[in-house]
């Protein structure tokens, strides 16, 4: 079975500073993908970034980067230069390729950006 | 490209009533999914489909049914609504290759009273 753990229920960050959202995962499948989604107060789920388990480099997408430490089974999201619009819930998710097409989600972290 | 669209946006049901949540995608994705999100929680998979005519159960399928007659549409049916089905329902779709990144619709908020 797959499991995703997000240990930070809520976090504050000052505008323009960087912030790291933690995510640890557990799977016995050697082939898997890790995802981060943003859910603003309006409720939609917005895909941010993807990391494959065999990718050699950490994924980056604009101000988002994924700090992938395979041995520690962690996939932390780093947001650089935080903006007020980054205030939202952030979900880490995993798909193990031998376990069907299910995304397993963590419980989420609420990020609040202070002006 | 509209992406993934869902109707209705919000619905109130009485216990025992039935309804169908509609989901359509125009990205020609083979894979489609239904999730539910309870307050303060992450999403849980209800059903998914890898193509027209093929569906399979996810983590929490009880109380729901699905069908997939076309690539574009993947409706979710609630037969006998119960208060435990009060939730926000998300439909998603993805390609079968690569990382299979799932793209989500805006969600349907359902309240069962």
């Amino acid at each position: 079975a797959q499991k995703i753990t997000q240990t930070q229920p809520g976090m504050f960050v000052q505008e323009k500073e960087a912030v790291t959202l933690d995510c640890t995962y557990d799977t016995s499948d050697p082939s898997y993908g890790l995802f981060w989604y943003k859910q603003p107060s309006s409720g939609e789920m917005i895909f941010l970034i993807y990391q494959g388990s065999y990718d050699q480099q950490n994924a980056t997408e604009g101000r988002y980067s994924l700090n992938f430490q395979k041995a520690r089974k962690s996939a932390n999201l780093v947001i650089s230069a935080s903006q007020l619009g980054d205030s939202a819930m952030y979900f880490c998710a995993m798909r193990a390729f031998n376990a069907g097409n299910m995304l397993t989600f963590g419980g989420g972290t609420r990020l609040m950006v202070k002006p | 490209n509209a992406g993934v669209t869902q109707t209705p946006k919000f619905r109130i049901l009485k216990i025992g009533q039935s309804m169908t949540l509609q989901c359509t995608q125009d990205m020609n994705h083979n894979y489609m999914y239904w999730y539910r999100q309870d307050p303060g929680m992450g999403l849980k998979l209800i059903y998914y489909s890898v193509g027209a005519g093929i569906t399979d159960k996810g983590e929490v399928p009880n109380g729901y049914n699905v069908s997939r007659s076309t690539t574009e549409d993947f409706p979710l049916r609630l037969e006998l609504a119960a208060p435990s089905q009060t939730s926000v329902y998300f439909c998603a779709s993805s390609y079968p290759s690569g990382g299979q990144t799932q793209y989500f619709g805006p969600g349907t908020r359902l309240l069962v009273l």
Side-chain angles (χ1 to χ4, degrees), chain B:
Chain B
N1 253 357
V4 181
T5 58
Q6 293 181 236
T7 57
K9 290 184 179 180
F10 176 67
R11 181 77 182 267
I12 300 175
L13 279 183
K14 293 183 180 179
I15 295 171
Q17 285 186 322
S18 301
M19 77 164 294
T20 299
L21 282 66
Q22 301 291 346
C23 175
T24 300
Q25 54 92 10
D26 63 358
M27 296 177 282
N28 204 29
H29 285 169
N30 296 80
Y31 290 7
M32 295 187 75
Y33 315 81
W34 274 106
Y35 291 87
R36 60 177 286 173
Q37 184 182 27
D38 297 330
M41 307 287 284
L43 281 68
K44 292 187 177 181
L45 183 67
I46 305 171
Y47 271 96
Y48 67 96
S49 169
V50 299
I54 306 169
T55 62
D56 208 347
K57 295 178 181 178
E59 188 179 358
V60 289
N62 291 344
Y64 307 95
N65 278 300
V66 294
S67 59
R68 182 100 180 268
S69 57
T70 67
T71 300
E72 296 79 19
D73 300 307
F74 190 40
L76 178 71
R77 178 83 178 160
L78 282 72
E79 290 295 346
L80 292 169
S84 61
Q85 293 178 305
T86 293
S87 191
V88 180
Y89 292 84
F90 288 97
C91 180
S93 69
S94 72
Y95 284 117
S97 59
Q100 298 186 23
T101 299
Q102 296 182 19
Y103 296 93
F104 286 80
T108 293
R109 186 175 296 274
L110 177 66
L111 180 61
V112 182
L113 299 174

Side-chain angles (χ1 to χ4, degrees), chain A residues 71-87:
Chain A
R72 299 180 63 183
K73 293 190 173 181
S74 73
N76 299 339
L77 178 70
V78 180
I79 305 175
S80 63
S82 296
Q83 301 172 357
L84 296 179
D86 293 335
S87 294

Side-chain angles (χ1 to χ4, degrees), chain A residues 19-57:
Chain A
V19 63
T20 298
L21 306 184
D22 294 341
C23 172
T24 58
Y25 61 92
D26 190 24
T27 181
S28 57
D29 196 324
S31 181
Y32 52 88
L34 295 155
F35 305 80
W36 277 92
Y37 286 86
K38 172 183 179 182
Q39 187 175 42
S41 58
S42 53
E44 69 268 34
M45 295 289 287
I46 302 168
F47 165 70
L48 295 178
I49 196 166
Y50 164 78
Q51 178 88 40
S53 59
Y54 295 118
D55 292 343
Q56 295 296 313
Q57 292 188 324

